[in-house]
């Protein structure tokens, strides 16, 4: 087998490897979507609470 003939199939194999890596990554991320949404919701709620608390402190200080 010559080097040239050994290299003939490399682009197709590289494409296949890249495809399966991408699909594995996408499937792995999809499998955690519920957890990601839950954490994002918790972060949004915490941010909202912080903004409300900060606005109460700011408005209270005006009247002191």
């Amino acid at each position: 087998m010559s080097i040239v003939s050994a290299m003939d199939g490399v682009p197709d194999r590289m494409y296949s490897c890249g495809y399966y890596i991408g699909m594995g990554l996408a499937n792995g991320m999809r499998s955690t979507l519920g957890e990601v949404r839950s954490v994002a919701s918790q972060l949004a709620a915490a941010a909202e609470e912080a903004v409300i608390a900060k606005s109460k402190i700011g408005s209270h200080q005006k009247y002191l």
Side-chain angles (χ1 to χ4, degrees):
M1 176 184 263
S2 73
I3 292 175
V4 173
S5 64
M7 298 299 286
D8 279 344
V10 170
D12 289 337
R13 289 191 301 269
M14 291 176 67
Y15 174 86
S16 293
C17 287
Y19 174 83
Y20 288 115
I21 289 170
M23 288 304 295
L25 180 61
N27 289 335
M29 292 172 70
R30 189 178 299 111
S31 73
T32 62
L33 188 55
E35 182 67 17
V36 170
R37 284 182 174 155
S38 174
V39 170
S41 179
Q42 292 171 35
L43 289 170
E48 181 181 22
E49 288 176 19
V51 168
I52 290 170
K54 182 70 174 174
S55 69
K56 287 179 181 176
I57 291 170
S59 63
H60 179 68
Q61 289 176 345
K62 289 179 186 177
Y63 300 107
L64 291 178

